[in-house]
Amino acid sequence: MSFPWAQEYKPSHPFMQYLDEKLPLPRFVYNAVGAGYPVPRNLNYFWNFGVLAGFCLVLQIVTGIILAMHYAGDAKLAFASTEHIMRDVNFGWMLRYMHANGASAFFVVIYAHIFRGFYFSSYKAPREMIWLIGVAIFLAMMATAFMGYVLPWGQMSFWGAQVITGLFSAVPLVGESLHTWLLGGFSPDNATLNRFFSLHFLLPFVIAALIILHIWALHIPGSSNPTGVDVKTESDTVPFHPYYTAKDGFGLGVFLIIYTSVVFFAPDQLGHPDNYIPANPLQTPAHIVPEWYFWPFYAILRAFTFDFLFIPAKLMGVLAMFSAILCWFFLPWLDTSPVRSGHYRPLFRKFFWALVVDAAILGYCGGSPAEEPFVMISQLAAMYYFLHFLVILPIVSSIEKPEPLPFSITEAVLGKDDKAVLTPHHAPAPSAA
Amino acid sequence: MVRIFGPLVGLFFAAALFWCFGNGAVQYLTAPAAKTAESLFHKHPHEDFKLASDGVFGRFDRAQLQRGFAVYQQVCSNCHGLKYVSFRDLKDLGYSDPEVKAIAKQWANKAPTLDEKTGDKATRDNLPADHFPAVYYAGQGNPPDLSLITKARHGGAAYVYSLLTGYSDQPAKLLKRFPDAKTPNGLYYNPYFANLNLAMPAPLTSDGQVTYSDGTKATVPQMAKDVSAFLTWTAEPKLEKRKQVGLAVVLYLLAATALAYMAYRNVWAGKKH
């Protein structure tokens, strides 16, 4: 499960020796995020985001559990109880702002983490399973965030719930029944709010379990690195502790400065003013928009404005929106280039940056009113989105001529690798060249 | 399998999107969406509107909040409630306990009561612990509660100020281009309101309409500004606390992160990476 040169846990205190014998939890931690886990020495700051994502989850769970102690999951009381938290609960305003902006921070971090994965092809063998679990975590996060946004029961909460649950009515034949069953009624009401509260409380723990699997799967091949070249010798790695605990500590500090600046000085900037109006089923807001982190997918949903080949536009939109994420599951088999890192893939790199721009355009259109020219722009952008993952990536990976890879991580860092001369049989396998 | 079906699915979605794009483009070119009076004449709130509570070091101007409360008390409260704010909260504005008690007691809109034994409904004087009572307008719909109004509108306090000072006659250009858009009877033209006409008549109409106890001249813009500041406070009474805590937190984190950076450099010293 690790490299042969990994340091072994050797407790010196008799109690720790006793504990190691009965319940080797310290050994487990030591091997997972301690000195017992050798990590490539050349990781850049984009490798901080995994730890930051874990931090965000803990932050959300802790603030969320305290908020739940003061929140009333009842359609008649939810909005007022949220204001009660903001006004009368000691530091309730801080907890709620931390939680609401914590969701945004979590998505900023996770998008950086995912795009890191895109650029460095972190999804490729032998790390497919890590990637698949990661996409599942992302889906669970989206569900959790959506249901959490409904809980304050403001106008955007209510109408967001109306629109998103309405998607299920696009399912052929059983759509309407499915919709009513999911909502517990014909439109979002107390039954909906209560089940969303229950699930919003449950899902973070499902995410926590998935993260354990994600890290477990990570520890089998070990972390990838910016060159994409496999770890070969001990000089390619450093122990996780103290090297990456120190680096992650600094990264966490930078993250917290940005995050707390938003929480304390612009806490409502990322939210929508309409959510400070109590839910009113009789008054539709002028523009129903979800939170910013859903905008790209919302733009894809709304891009389908005409029926296509007898498929209703609404159903197409729903299929496309879910496919936009589901296609990530197939990335390990769509991108067949043996080279992992985008550093050595000149053609892929161009399309990667096109995807970054494309996602930003989709996000901007998703946050704008459903009017021209935003709809036409989002149609073109959504077209590129699907072509990128499903058509361009397979083609690029088969026609591209990658640039030469360094022999090893050590060579990439030091300019030479003495071991490489000593052990010529360590020549890179064809699959890695 | 994935490399056969993947591109097919991709091309399917791309074709559907191209179909939608083509149809939309044809529609856009042949029948462009008509301009509406709202889209041409709606104005955004004044961007140069500033309050003492703005910015990282922002603090409420207590004297201004008290003036703003006077405007609310003498004008707005005839129609609008503040149901998330209680009388005791006014102590934040610098009023003493007896003053708050007196304000609550003298509040014109009394607290409703219900005798549980007889079912009789009655009213009583407000107490400091009571929230500002809602105002009911039978038959006309209830005017919105103002507790959160500066958070619930784009532009916040600047929107409130712009709306209060923005009443005017309908521009001749508007009526010329959209003859059907004449402000209906019982509504009032205000370009800062989303659909240009609202049911509230201009509430602040003349200088000196509100009596200020601190000698400030109660011009219409002054009253509008003061009440916007007051409504910023009602929307977030903890605003000052938030900024104070925020400064301490960010300063602490800057120092801690500087230390973390030095620790990082120290650990990695001599290790090329």
Side-chain angles (χ1 to χ4, degrees):
Chain A
M1 188 173 150
S2 185
F3 299 108
W5 55 86
Q7 293 174 38
E8 210 208 323
Y9 177 65
K10 288 199 196 80
S12 52
H13 194 277
F15 175 74
M16 296 308 277
Q17 286 168 356
Y18 170 81
L19 189 63
D20 190 42
E21 209 173 285
K22 305 295 177 190
L23 177 74
L25 186 64
R27 175 181 294 273
F28 179 78
V29 173
Y30 184 91
N31 288 337
V33 289
Y37 178 43
V39 186
R41 63 193 288 174
N42 60 337
L43 302 190
N44 61 33
Y45 281 111
F46 278 98
W47 267 260
N48 279 34
F49 287 98
V51 166
L52 292 182
F55 176 83
C56 286
L57 180 73
V58 173
L59 185 76
Q60 290 301 83
I61 289 180
V62 171
T63 53
I65 285 176
I66 304 173
L67 286 172
M69 295 173 186
H70 301 280
Y71 169 78
D74 181 306
K76 286 201 179 62
L77 304 174
F79 190 89
S81 76
T82 309
E83 277 309 308
H84 162 70
I85 290 170
M86 294 297 285
R87 291 159 192 269
D88 299 329
V89 174
N90 288 335
F91 281 90
W93 56 270
M94 188 173 84
L95 288 168
R96 176 163 178 257
Y97 281 148
M98 283 173 74
H99 196 71
N101 289 292
S104 283
F106 203 168
F107 275 94
V108 169
V109 166
I110 222 71
Y111 281 133
H113 195 58
I114 290 172
F115 274 83
R116 192 284 313 266
F118 287 155
Y119 184 81
F120 294 101
S121 312
S122 303
Y123 43 78
K124 278 181 193 163
R127 296 185 182 80
E128 312 95 300
M129 189 52 75
I130 312 170
W131 175 258
L132 299 181
I133 298 167
V135 179
I137 292 173
F138 181 65
L139 286 169
M141 269 181 69
M142 292 180 87
T144 312
F146 159 64
M147 291 192 261
Y149 192 62
V150 175
L151 300 186
W153 211 239
Q155 272 288 70
M156 246 354 135
S157 299
F158 178 89
W159 290 95
Q162 179 86 306
V163 169
I164 300 301
T165 57
L167 299 180
F168 290 93
S169 65
V171 175
L173 302 175
V174 294
E176 283 304 329
S177 322
L178 183 66
H179 178 229
T180 311
W181 180 68
L182 286 172
L183 282 179
F186 299 106
S187 81
D189 205 341
N190 203 41
T192 320
L193 180 65
N194 268 310
R195 62 189 59 185
F196 278 17
F197 185 32
S198 171
L199 292 172
H200 183 71
F201 210 114
L202 166 74
L203 281 177
F205 298 98
V206 174
I207 294 175
L210 286 170
I211 286 176
I212 291 173
L213 298 184
H214 192 63
I215 297 173
W216 187 4
L218 169 72
H219 279 69
I220 292 169
S223 299
S224 67
N225 71 86
T227 65
V229 174
D230 285 327
V231 166
K232 293 188 177 67
T233 52
E234 190 173 355
S235 68
D236 289 346
T237 64
V238 290
F240 189 88
H241 180 73
Y243 287 94
Y244 285 107
T245 39
K247 192 167 181 170
D248 287 336
F250 170 57
L252 182 64
V254 174
F255 164 79
L256 280 175
I257 289 171
I258 299 169
Y259 166 67
T260 52
S261 302
V262 175
V263 166
F264 289 104
F265 300 114
D268 288 314
Q269 207 62 46
L270 296 167
H272 196 288
D274 279 20
N275 225 28
Y276 279 110
I277 305 171
N280 182 353
L282 300 177
Q283 189 183 49
T284 316
H287 304 296
I288 302 174
V289 282
E291 290 279 83
W292 69 268
Y293 35 80
F294 292 137
W295 286 353
F297 303 103
Y298 195 54
I300 291 175
L301 171 76
R302 292 193 305 186
F304 292 83
T305 45
F306 289 88
D307 296 354
F308 181 66
L309 304 175
F310 312 106
I311 307 174
K314 185 177 175 185
L315 179 60
M316 276 302 292
V318 173
L319 284 176
M321 186 176 75
F322 285 108
S323 304
I325 300 167
L326 294 181
C327 68
W328 296 355
F329 276 120
F330 298 97
L331 270 181
W333 300 279
L334 287 166
D335 178 1
T336 51
S337 168
V339 175
R340 295 195 190 103
S341 169
H343 284 342
Y344 305 101
R345 302 183 61 190
L347 190 57
F348 166 84
R349 203 158 55 218
K350 291 196 183 77
F351 285 106
F352 169 80
W353 288 112
L355 178 72
V356 173
V357 174
D358 187 63
I361 293 173
L362 277 173
Y364 185 81
C365 291
S368 303
E371 297 161 0
E372 298 300 357
F374 302 116
V375 176
M376 289 199 291
I377 296 172
S378 58
Q379 281 158 346
L380 294 177
M383 212 186 299
Y384 179 79
Y385 182 93
F386 285 108
L387 290 177
H388 177 92
F389 286 110
L390 296 167
V391 180
I392 293 172
L393 272 189
I395 294 176
V396 164
S397 52
S398 57
I399 64 168
E400 178 178 58
K401 193 176 172 334
E403 287 160 6
L405 290 177
F407 166 71
S408 67
I409 294 170
T410 308
E411 188 193 274
V413 172
L414 299 179
K416 64 180 168 51
D417 187 347
D418 299 332
K419 285 262 171 46
V421 183
L422 291 170
T423 53
H425 63 274
H426 264 144
S431 66
Chain B
M1 283 293 270
V2 172
R3 267 177 289 159
I4 297 167
F5 284 106
L8 287 178
V9 171
L11 290 171
F12 170 73
F13 280 125
L17 283 160
F18 191 73
W19 171 253
C20 295
F21 174 77
N23 274 303
V26 168
Q27 210 168 64
Y28 182 64
L29 293 174
T30 53
K35 295 272 186 211
T36 58
E38 288 91 335
S39 68
L40 292 179
F41 289 89
H42 179 246
K43 287 191 196 166
H44 290 286
H46 297 291
E47 277 179 12
D48 52 357
F49 182 83
K50 291 275 177 296
L51 287 176
S53 54
D54 292 347
V56 172
F57 301 100
R59 295 284 180 271
F60 287 123
D61 175 349
R62 290 288 182 302
Q64 184 174 43
L65 295 189
Q66 291 201 5
R67 291 197 301 273
F69 172 62
V71 178
Y72 172 73
Q73 187 177 26
Q74 295 174 37
V75 184
C76 317
S77 70
N78 289 317
C79 306
H80 297 278
L82 286 175
K83 64 175 165 184
Y84 299 113
V85 184
S86 51
F87 286 99
R88 66 175 161 81
D89 292 333
L90 291 175
K91 281 198 281 183
D92 247 20
L93 267 50
Y95 293 107
S96 64
D97 279 322
E99 281 172 324
V100 168
K101 234 176 186 166
I103 290 170
K105 193 174 163 57
Q106 289 153 17
W107 201 255
N109 190 6
K110 301 295 174 192
T113 56
L114 173 74
D115 189 322
E116 301 232 325
K117 282 186 186 138
T118 62
D120 290 340
K121 286 178 184 168
T123 58
R124 63 160 168 77
D125 287 344
N126 288 288
L127 298 168
D130 287 328
H131 286 213
F132 282 85
V135 187
Y136 293 97
Y137 262 63
Q140 295 227 10
N142 291 320
D145 185 88
L146 293 184
S147 316
L148 285 163
I149 201 77
T150 55
K151 276 187 172 190
R153 295 291 182 275
H154 287 284
Y159 169 81
V160 173
Y161 173 80
S162 306
L163 189 84
L164 289 176
T165 54
Y167 285 88
S168 67
D169 293 330
Q170 262 187 317
K173 270 199 294 193
L174 189 156
L175 287 172
K176 200 170 155 208
R177 182 149 180 198
F178 304 99
D180 294 343
K182 187 167 165 40
T183 302
N185 250 345
L187 296 184
Y188 303 88
Y189 182 80
N190 191 324
Y192 295 97
F193 195 66
N195 66 10
L196 305 181
N197 303 305
L198 75 166
M200 173 172 77
L204 302 174
T205 47
S206 57
D207 291 356
Q209 186 180 348
V210 174
T211 318
Y212 280 159
S213 57
D214 65 353
T216 308
K217 197 167 172 336
T219 61
V220 169
Q222 182 67 41
M223 291 185 288
K225 191 170 180 188
D226 292 344
V227 80
S228 306
F230 173 70
L231 292 173
T232 304
W233 172 79
T234 61
E236 196 181 359
K238 298 285 162 46
L239 180 147
E240 269 184 351
K241 182 86 175 162
R242 161 162 73 80
K243 291 184 178 179
Q244 280 167 355
V245 174
L247 274 179
V249 167
V250 171
L251 282 177
Y252 169 80
L253 282 173
L254 282 171
T257 306
L259 289 177
Y261 181 70
M262 288 188 273
Y264 157 57
R265 291 300 299 260
N266 192 19
V267 166
W268 282 83
K271 196 84 180 173
K272 271 190 88 172
H273 60 290

